[in-house]
Each structure stands twice: as C-alpha cells, then as structure tokens.
Amino acid sequence: MKGTIVILAAGQGTRMKSDLPKVLHRIAGKPMLRHVIDTARDLAPERIVVVHGHEGAKVREAITDEDLLWVEQAEQLGTGHAVGQALDALIGETTLVLYGDVPLITPLTLERLLVKLEQADLCVLTAELEDPTGYGRILRQGEALTRIVEEKDATDEEREIREINSGIMAFRTELLRECIRDLDNDNAQGEFYLTDCVAIARDAGHRVTAVKAEDAIEIQGVNDRVQLAALERAWQLRKATELMKAGVTLRDPGRVDIRGALFFGRDCEIDVGCVVEGDVVLGDRVYIGPNCVLRDCTLEDDTRVEANSVIEQSRVGRGCRIGPFARLRPGTRLDSGARVGNFVEIKNSHIGSGSKVNHLSYIGDTEMGEAVNIGAGTITCNYDGANKHRTVIGDRAFIGSDTQLVAPVTVGSDATIGAGSTITRDAPAGELTLSRAKQTTITGWQRPKKEGR
Ligand code: UD1
Ligand code: CA
C-alpha cells in the first residue's frame, strides 16, 4: 500500500473498568492493538502511525515495534481530532484509518476498501446490522453516500437505518488534510467527528463511496468485557474452522482456545477444553485429551496426552503416553515410547526411550536412560535448599516404590532399588541396593486398654 495507516487508540475505555489501557486487553492471547498492527503490516504500508492517549506510556511499553510512529492526542476531542494529530506524520497518497479496539478486521476486507478507493477520494467501510444501536448511520442518495450521522445526532427516522459506519475509512491523503481542517464540533457530543469528512468531501464535489464488510464481526469494536468475550469466541471459532479445514479433528470447535501458533501433521485430534499457547508443534496422529494445556512444546507422531495434563517447554518423542493428570515442566525431554502417568511432575529432565514414570512421582534435573521403571511415589530430592543437583539413572534400572533419590546421585544401569529406600550414595550397576530398617515382629504384644474397665 502506498501511504500511511493511522490506528486510533487514544480512547479511555472507561467501560472496561480496568487499570490496563483498553487496547492492551487480549484476544487470543494477544493485545487488541497487536492484532490491528499485524493486520496493518499485512498491507505493507509505507508507515504505521498509532495515536495514543493519556496512558500512552503503558501502551508503548507493551508494543515495542521499532518502526511505529507514535503520536499523542493529549485530550480526547473526537475521532476527527485524533486523526488531526497525525496529519504531520502522513506520507504517501493514501491514508487508511483503523481502530485499536476493532481487532478482527481482516487484510482481505481492507484490500477491498483500498481497491475501491482507486476510483474514489474517500471510501468508508460499512456493515448491515440487525441492531445498529450505538453506531453512526450511513445516509445515501440512491447509491451515493451523502453523510454519516452519529446515533446521538440522528432523527428517529435516521436511527431506523441499518447500514452503519464501521469507523474504518480510506482517504486520498490530500483530501483528508482538507477535510480535517474544515471539521467543527457543533454536534451533540461537542466532538470533532471524523465521520463529518463524508459530507465535507461530498459537498466539495469529491467522490465518496463505500464497501460493505461481508462479516459484521470484523468491524465490531470492544467497549466492555462482554464484547471482549464475544470477539474472543468469534476469533476462536474462526481459528477452529481453519484448523478443521486443514485436517485437525476438534471434538467441539466451541471448546478449544488457541492463543498462539499451532502446527500439526495429519489426523491429529484435540478433545474439549484444551488451551494452546505459544508455539505448539504436533506430529501425525497426536491425540490431546480433554482439558489439557500445551505451551511451547513439540509432540511427535502417535503420542497421546490424556485428560488434564499440562505440558510446557517440553519435547516429547514418538508414541509417548502422558497423563491423565501429568505435568511436564520446562526442559523436559521424553524419548520415544516413554510413559508419564497420573500425578507425575517432571522438570528439566531427559527420560530415555521406553522408560516409565507412571504414578505419583517427582523427577527433576534427571538424566534417565532407556527402559527404566520408576515405581509409584518416587521423588528425586534435587534441591538442598540452596542448589539444584542432578540425578543419573542408567538403562533398565528398576526403582522400587516410594524411593527418595537424594541428588547428586547415580543409579547404575540394571540396578534395582528396594521399595521405600532413601538413596544418598551411588547405587552400583546390576546390584540390589536398599536402605530400610529391618522388619521385626513382637509376638504376643497387646494393644493398650482404656483405664477403668
Ligand atoms: C465511532 C464513529 C461511529 C462508528 C463507530 C464504530 C465517529 C464520530 N463516530 O463512534 O460513526 O459507528 O465509531 O465503532 O467517528 N478515539 C481516539 N480519540 C478520540 C476519540 C476516539 O483515539 O478523541 C479512538 C478510540 O480509541 C476508538 C475509536 O477512536 O478506538 C472510536 O472511538 P469511539 O469513541 O469508540 O467512537 P464511537 O462513538 O463509538
Ligand atoms: Ca466505540
């Protein structure tokens, strides 16, 4: 695109009732303003200008792109005034005005607007709504646009009109400059309305036209948290549809949340209630059970994650089985065929191929070989209160249930550890090691009886 995209983001967002500036509230894990900037970038404009308001510092802290041009609108005197603050920053033939709180607008729709502008001087993005309440209405004479009237300034008859102003407009930059100069604030809200540019341009004989958005959700703005939630759902449904069309089975497209990038092979299946964050890569035929959270992880072919498991910054090989109720914390690597069962936590550890940690265990800072069997309730005591230490477990070792491995410690390959042991020194390969008080029986012992009987 030859020209500038101006993103209006100075509004207060009072109805969010939040300490966070409105445009930083998130949709799909990403601030609304970030969505709009990313969409703007898709059009490859010469410049992107963001008009920010009183909480600009917080917004700029959150959005650190170096090439953005920030303009302050110290007082919010209306959308026309906001664009007015950006006039000095405009370069190129065309100016496209977007809103920081209208996050679902797509590059495709904006392209249509820009193409239409090639035959005009001003082009407005409109939509037909069942309920147009609150929006500016589009007034036409025949096909031609004559004026936009704000709800608060409209007559009863004008309020019946269901074609509304999305707020998004494209201008020939020269015309925009002229129109902004001519704006006044003689209206119900005492604001400088950008929408008045339509009547000004038309009265001066310029060509004013419009494009209708095909899907009204694209032009929906966020004023409160109810609308925020509605757009989140709409975004998620759009994403879910995209995933299903690309070959992922979703048990219910209404009950999955993608807050990052999901990459996938063939025939993956995601059950209800899952959340995907950051970059998640699934191989072929990966199954994710209900209510799982996957954050920045890779799961290779044929791996199954059963219900209620949480996996973060981990790499899982082929054919592994995880959960239900498992937690893989950052730095976990499972080789092919490994199993991690219920109520098991693994952190910063490498689990060799075919090894099993099936029940109620904590494995931290551990290097584990292949075909190891970890009994129920095994704990690596990796932290001495000051430093973390490593545990090394050789191939085919068998760790009896309820064992504590006090790191740093090494269990040799083919070693067996007796159940209930506290292992503080290295256990040699191939041998049975146990630390356990000898079991005794006191024959004829009587339970104490209550006094006075
Ligand atoms: C505006 C339009 C209305 C349209 C609606 C679509 C005008 C006069 N009205 O109304 O026709 O149907 O959007 O949602 O343009 N902003 C600033 N500085 C300001 C005022 C607003 O940056 O001084 C920004 C806000 O942050 C927001 C956008 O402009 O992103 C729209 O402002 P808002 O007050 O919500 O406009 P509406 O009254 O809803
Ligand atoms: Ca609004």
Side-chain angles (χ1 to χ4, degrees):
M1 169 191 165
K2 282 202 160 48
T4 307
I5 294 181
V6 178
I7 302 173
L8 301 189
Q12 298 211 343
T14 324
R15 279 173 283 168
M16 297 299 284
K17 305 208 167 98
S18 173
D19 293 333
L20 192 68
K22 176 162 81 175
V23 292
L24 294 185
H25 281 263
R26 286 163 189 271
I27 297 230
K30 202 161 91 169
M32 288 196 276
L33 180 56
R34 177 87 262 156
H35 282 271
V36 180
I37 291 170
D38 289 350
T39 300
R41 283 197 192 289
D42 273 358
L43 301 173
E46 291 173 72
R47 179 177 279 179
I48 299 176
V49 179
V50 182
V51 180
H52 66 80
H54 64 302
E55 287 197 304
K58 279 191 197 165
V59 179
R60 293 182 66 160
E61 226 168 85
I63 309 281
T64 54
D65 310 29
E66 278 172 10
D67 58 343
L68 293 178
L69 220 120
W70 295 86
V71 169
E72 191 183 354
Q73 183 195 24
E75 261 188 296
Q76 276 77 64
L77 303 178
T79 48
H81 179 260
V83 172
Q85 309 309 295
L87 286 189
D88 289 342
L90 303 182
I91 52 170
E93 284 165 32
T94 304
T95 301
L96 174 62
V97 178
L98 303 180
Y99 286 13
D101 58 359
V102 181
L104 265 50
I105 188 71
T106 60
L108 205 74
T109 298
L110 296 175
E111 295 278 11
R112 283 175 53 222
L113 193 71
L114 293 172
V115 166
K116 191 79 180 258
L117 187 70
E118 285 169 14
Q119 266 91 54
D121 303 308
L122 198 180
C123 189
V124 182
L125 180 64
T126 71
E128 280 300 330
L129 297 188
E130 281 299 317
D131 176 13
T133 311
Y135 288 94
R137 309 297 205 282
I138 303 294
L139 271 58
R140 289 178 184 261
Q141 238 165 37
E143 274 299 285
L145 238 66
T146 50
R147 177 161 90 80
I148 297 175
V149 60
E150 289 306 297
E151 165 129 336
K152 287 186 178 135
D153 301 291
T155 62
D156 287 348
E157 204 177 320
E158 287 166 339
R159 285 194 186 138
E160 296 292 309
I161 298 171
R162 287 177 39 225
E163 188 183 8
I164 60 97
N165 169 33
S166 71
I168 292 171
M169 295 184 200
F171 296 81
R172 230 175 9 85
T173 304
E174 280 323 299
L175 173 63
L176 176 61
R177 290 185 197 281
E178 285 169 34
C179 291
I180 295 285
R181 252 200 326 265
D182 290 350
L183 290 182
D184 63 44
N185 63 352
D186 184 11
N187 51 51
Q189 301 183 77
E191 288 184 0
F192 295 91
Y193 291 166
L194 184 64
T195 45
D196 285 348
C197 292
V198 168
I200 294 170
R202 184 177 154 90
D203 292 348
H206 295 284
R207 298 163 301 172
V208 179
T209 173
V211 162
K212 259 188 216 172
E214 271 157 24
D215 186 352
I217 198 79
E218 279 195 39
I219 58 99
Q220 220 103 94
V222 171
N223 294 310
D224 59 30
R225 296 184 200 237
V226 177
Q227 290 167 330
L228 184 72
L231 288 201
E232 175 78 34
R233 268 304 108 213
W235 191 98
Q236 292 298 346
L237 205 55
R238 193 151 95 181
K239 186 74 197 174
T241 306
E242 196 184 288
L243 290 173
M244 291 185 293
K245 286 190 169 156
V248 179
T249 295
L250 299 177
R251 280 294 150 219
D252 180 354
R255 284 186 288 169
V256 65
D257 285 80
I258 311 293
R259 300 177 193 151
L262 178 65
F263 305 89
F264 47 87
R266 293 181 77 77
D267 294 306
C268 289
E269 178 179 341
I270 302 180
D271 213 321
V272 301
C274 292
V275 178
V276 170
E277 294 182 348
D279 288 343
V280 170
V281 183
L282 308 180
D284 295 335
R285 298 170 301 279
V286 173
Y287 167 79
I288 311 295
N291 305 319
C292 290
V293 178
L294 305 180
R295 187 177 297 134
D296 293 308
C297 57
T298 297
L299 311 179
E300 290 180 26
D301 300 354
D302 300 300
T303 279
R304 288 182 70 84
V305 181
E306 304 294 345
N308 301 299
S309 296
V310 178
I311 302 182
E312 181 176 5
Q313 288 174 44
S314 297
R315 276 195 73 92
V316 176
R318 293 167 177 242
C320 291
R321 177 111 172 249
I322 297 162
F325 298 99
R327 179 174 183 206
L328 304 189
R329 290 173 53 200
T332 296
R333 225 175 86 222
L334 304 190
D335 288 347
S336 58
R339 296 198 167 198
V340 175
N342 44 261
F343 307 108
V344 171
E345 172 181 346
I346 300 193
K347 186 215 75 175
N348 191 31
S349 294
H350 174 208
I351 309 295
S353 143
S355 290
K356 296 176 186 163
V357 192
N358 272 337
H359 329 271
L360 300 152
S361 290
Y362 170 62
I363 304 295
D365 303 308
T366 295
E367 176 62 39
M368 190 186 298
E370 297 177 9
V372 169
N373 197 316
I374 303 286
T378 296
I379 305 289
T380 55
C381 309
N382 60 329
Y383 185 52
D384 59 14
N387 297 298
K388 302 272 168 71
H389 302 282
R390 289 196 73 77
T391 299
V392 177
I393 302 172
D395 296 344
R396 298 170 303 281
F398 181 100
I399 312 293
S401 296
D402 193 25
T403 293
Q404 299 107 58
L405 299 165
V406 182
V409 73
T410 296
V411 176
S413 44
D414 298 295
T416 302
I417 305 295
S421 294
T422 301
I423 301 298
T424 52
R425 284 174 286 125
D426 290 355
E431 307 289 353
L432 169 66
T433 301
L434 69 169
S435 77
R436 200 189 269 172
K438 280 237 159 42
Q439 181 167 323
T440 53
T441 301
I442 298 168
T443 46
W445 179 82
Q446 303 274 317
R447 284 189 195 166
K449 293 204 168 67
K450 274 210 168 144
E451 279 173 32
R453 280 207 182 170

